[in-house]
Amino acid sequence: QRATHTVNLLPPDPSQTTMSMSEKLNPRESGSAIPQNLNEANKLLINFIVMTVCFSLNHASVTSCIALATSSGLPGNLGSYSVAVLYACYVITAMLFSQVIIFYSSQKGALTGSLAVYALYVASYLVAALVERWVGTDI
């Protein structure tokens, strides 16, 4: 007997949620993102600076891997294909799944998850370099 699992990608019934999708996607409209005092504004600024530094480091590491992938001695056009797959997945996810991902995981969760997946892309180059060193031949 074969078990079947269904995944519901649609948001739950609006009557069962406490916050609408537009309120979740636009927190400023619901008033939750406006700092109430100077201390809260300073915390918000520090969080923004930390997030921009982390995002910049993540993006710089991915950009350097893209440059290495297209210019390294990978066999055939493997580097170009890997970059094409990365950006194809990026565009498809942004166009078709971004609102659903944000709805279910929140803005912070979606950003954290996407940066983690981006870091896995960078880690794949480290794994390839280590395997090449251990095996002793070009992959």
Side-chain angles (χ1 to χ4, degrees):
Q1 188 176 20
R2 190 173 161 190
T4 59
H5 300 286
T6 59
V7 177
N8 186 7
L9 294 177
L10 298 175
D13 184 25
S15 63
Q16 297 175 354
T17 60
T18 58
M19 185 182 276
S20 70
M21 185 177 245
S22 63
E23 288 175 332
K24 267 190 131 173
L25 295 176
N26 301 313
R28 188 168 292 281
E29 290 179 10
S30 64
S32 64
I34 300 171
Q36 300 300 317
N37 56 40
L38 187 59
N39 189 27
E40 191 176 327
N42 285 335
K43 287 181 182 179
L44 188 62
L45 178 64
I46 290 169
N47 284 341
F48 176 76
I49 291 171
V50 168
M51 193 277 303
T52 56
V53 168
C54 291
F55 180 84
S56 299
L57 291 172
N58 187 282
H59 187 67
S61 62
V62 170
T63 303
S64 63
C65 285
I66 288 172
L68 287 172
T70 56
S71 66
S72 67
L74 293 175
N77 292 327
L78 189 59
S80 299
Y81 292 146
S82 71
V83 173
V85 168
L86 170 73
Y87 283 109
C89 291
Y90 178 73
V91 168
I92 290 169
T93 302
M95 287 176 49
L96 301 178
F97 303 112
S98 60
Q99 287 189 340
V100 173
I101 291 169
I102 291 171
F103 183 79
Y104 283 112
S105 65
S106 78
Q107 294 171 346
K108 187 176 184 179
L111 182 63
T112 304
S114 61
L115 289 176
V117 172
Y118 228 17
L120 285 175
Y121 176 77
V122 174
S124 69
Y125 284 93
L126 175 63
V127 169
L130 292 175
V131 167
E132 182 179 353
R133 180 181 298 167
W134 288 333
V135 173
T137 60
D138 290 338
I139 296 175

